[in-house]
Amino acid sequence: MELRSVEELMDLLYACRGERHAAESGGGPGDPYGHALRTAALLRRRRPADKELQVAGLVAPVGRLLWPGDPAGRTAEAVRPLLGARVARLVRRQAHPEAWAHDDDLVSLRQADEEARTAVFDAGVLEDWRTVLELTAARNSRLGLVD
């Protein structure tokens, strides 16, 4: 499956509301929608100019919803046509701890992901991210025409 529009991606992210997954650390119930919003919000605070990094933190639950067994690789391929190679690379490599050592972006993504599991703050709503997703998709579209 390839995501071809921001609207499709938003629909999938909205579908994650109310989904419950075992949290990777601790085994308790997890809220992938809230976790994604908190991760993206933390990345926005730490790296405000890096929209692609923020988006990589936001799209993770899509894979858990569609492919419960192997989400990272499939999520990366699903978002690549829409959000670009860098977002896809970050999503794919986030699941591989050996990749984090020499990649500051992955370290930031992983730290935000971990902190978002326990952080309690108002991370806003998904609609707050529509413009960032649209800008990222538009940028990727322009770059795709040149490549």
Side-chain angles (χ1 to χ4, degrees), residues 19-60:
E19 288 290 314
R20 301 310 261 176
H21 297 282
E24 287 84 1
S25 63
D31 169 18
Y33 175 80
H35 181 259
L37 289 174
R38 288 188 304 276
T39 301
L42 288 166
L43 289 165
R44 178 183 274 174
R45 290 176 185 171
R46 293 177 186 156
R47 308 257 302 265
D50 196 341
K51 304 303 183 207
E52 290 176 334
L53 182 63
Q54 297 164 23
V55 166
L58 183 66
V59 301

Side-chain angles (χ1 to χ4, degrees), residues 6-134:
V6 169
E7 198 60 41
E8 284 182 9
L9 177 56
M10 295 284 289
D11 287 346
L12 284 172
L13 289 166
Y14 275 123
C16 293
R17 287 186 301 191
E19 288 290 314
R20 301 310 261 176
H21 297 282
E24 287 84 1
S25 63
D31 169 18
Y33 175 80
H35 181 259
L37 289 174
R38 288 188 304 276
T39 301
L42 288 166
L43 289 165
R44 178 183 274 174
R45 290 176 185 171
R46 293 177 186 156
R47 308 257 302 265
D50 196 341
K51 304 303 183 207
E52 290 176 334
L53 182 63
Q54 297 164 23
V55 166
L58 183 66
V59 301
V62 170
R64 288 185 289 236
L65 182 67
L66 297 174
W67 305 285
D70 178 33
R74 289 184 172 184
T75 303
E77 291 313 309
V79 301
R80 176 186 287 275
L82 181 63
L83 301 175
R86 180 167 179 245
V87 172
R89 179 185 63 81
L90 289 167
V91 169
R92 179 182 303 105
R93 295 185 70 200
Q94 182 183 7
H96 303 286
E98 66 278 2
W100 307 338
H102 302 290
D103 190 324
D104 290 340
D105 294 339
L106 285 171
V107 170
S108 293
L109 183 57
R110 190 62 184 177
Q111 287 173 340
D113 179 71
E114 291 293 323
E115 186 176 338
R117 293 179 199 285
T118 58
V120 178
F121 64 93
D122 182 4
V125 296
L126 182 57
E127 199 59 39
D128 297 340
W129 289 94
R130 182 181 295 275
T131 302
V132 175
L133 290 168
E134 288 171 347

